[in-house]
Amino acid sequence: MIAAGLAMAGPAVLVSSSFSSAAPAQTRVPVLSATIVARYPHDRTAFTEGLLWHDGALYESTGQERQSDVRRVSLKDGKILAKAQIDPAQFGEGLALWKDELVSLTWHDGIAHRWDIRTLKPKSQNRYTGEGWGLTSDGVSLLQSDGSPDIIFRDPVTLAERKRVAVTIDDRPLRDINELEYVDGALLANVWHTGFLVRIDPKTGKVTAVVDLRPLVAEVAATDPEAVLNGIAWDAKANRLFVTGKYWPTLFEIKIAATP
């Protein structure tokens, strides 16, 4: 897994595609800043993979073998309200809500777990091929990332693949798309091992904006190289956006600047 190589260069972002040996080029995509609205405690032992908001609480999936779980978390104090363990041999990944179920991926096992949203008790499993990274829902399909530039649209009941859309920035493929969140018709995504979010048009795969969250990364000042920005949750009713990272002690509520 090769990082996508996002780095700032003045007002633009340098993007080095792992599918090309060409030198990095400045992107024409707007680079947006973000304002911190609030800070909340976050479990610093959580290797955050998926994050979502539902009915007044955060739901989070965590990774690492023997440590992976799905949990309900209090926003105010970061306390775990309920938790379900994933098979110790599996590495938990992305998390999405479909009706009254949570669906969580595994990295290498090709197993998607389904959990009752109220009790977090396991309900069933689905099989899929390839790696599991991020997961979200647009209300019609489950949208999955797998480390490639593709967003995979899956049937929410069977997880059968419906289609793929390649993510591009300035017509160049952008891989290492990780955690996903569907927000007002667009996809927000972490790019693994960077301090940036990208906003993606899910119909075309084109990146329409880059969000610079490196000030948050700097504030957390993590020393573990894998303690990267990861985790996006959208509270549609209150118009609130939350982000955090793996092993981060803080969950941030942020407001992204308007596109110029």
Side-chain angles (χ1 to χ4, degrees):
M1 293 182 288
I2 304 171
L6 287 169
M8 290 297 291
V13 171
L14 298 179
V15 179
S16 175
S17 169
S18 57
F19 280 13
S20 171
S21 60
Q26 287 191 345
T27 178
R28 298 180 297 275
V29 173
V31 180
L32 309 178
S33 61
T35 302
I36 298 173
V37 177
R39 296 171 176 84
Y40 302 93
H42 180 252
D43 179 4
R44 63 172 63 243
T45 69
F47 196 77
T48 305
E49 295 291 355
L51 191 70
L52 62 86
W53 177 268
H54 175 69
D55 197 22
L58 288 162
Y59 290 82
E60 185 172 6
S61 58
T62 69
Q64 303 288 29
E65 289 87 354
R66 298 178 298 279
Q67 300 177 32
S68 298
D69 61 39
V70 170
R71 53 180 69 178
R72 184 186 300 117
V73 179
S74 166
L75 173 64
K76 181 179 179 179
D77 54 20
K79 290 184 178 179
I80 300 171
L81 304 175
K83 182 167 67 172
Q85 295 294 139
I86 295 173
D87 186 317
Q90 297 174 6
F91 192 117
E93 282 283 350
L95 183 71
L97 176 67
W98 179 254
K99 296 186 177 179
D100 61 349
E101 296 179 339
L102 294 170
V103 183
S104 68
L105 301 179
T106 51
W107 183 17
H108 288 305
D109 295 274
I111 296 173
H113 298 278
R114 293 181 179 271
W115 315 87
D116 184 280
I117 187 68
R118 294 173 295 276
T119 65
L120 295 190
K121 291 182 177 180
K123 295 184 68 176
S124 61
Q125 296 180 356
N126 294 103
R127 288 278 183 175
Y128 59 93
T129 58
E131 293 188 357
W133 285 41
L135 194 69
T136 191
S137 172
D138 63 0
V140 177
S141 301
L142 293 179
L143 282 59
Q144 178 206 335
S145 62
D146 65 355
S148 76
D150 290 344
I151 300 297
I152 305 165
F153 289 69
R154 294 191 179 276
D155 183 285
V157 177
T158 67
L159 257 66
E161 183 175 329
R162 288 175 166 171
K163 66 176 181 177
R164 290 179 180 240
V165 175
V167 177
T168 61
I169 184 164
D170 290 338
D171 300 319
R172 303 177 66 191
L174 181 63
R175 63 179 301 158
D176 293 332
I177 301 301
N178 204 356
E179 226 276 278
L180 303 172
E181 184 76 357
Y182 191 77
V183 180
D184 290 342
L187 270 179
L188 287 181
N190 289 115
V191 183
W192 187 50
H193 273 285
T194 78
F196 298 91
L197 302 183
V198 289
R199 188 179 67 204
I200 303 164
D201 182 336
K203 294 181 180 179
T204 65
K206 291 184 178 181
V207 173
T208 60
V210 175
V211 184
D212 184 3
L213 296 186
R214 291 178 304 166
L216 279 61
V217 176
E219 179 179 322
V220 171
T223 56
D224 187 328
E226 295 305 319
V228 296
L229 177 73
N230 203 56
I232 312 166
W234 172 242
D235 176 4
K237 290 183 179 180
N239 199 35
R240 297 187 296 177
L241 183 65
F242 304 103
V243 296
T244 190
K246 303 171 189 283
Y247 299 146
W248 281 22
T250 309
L251 180 136
F252 297 89
E253 180 184 341
I254 63 170
K255 184 175 181 60
I256 298 173
T259 304

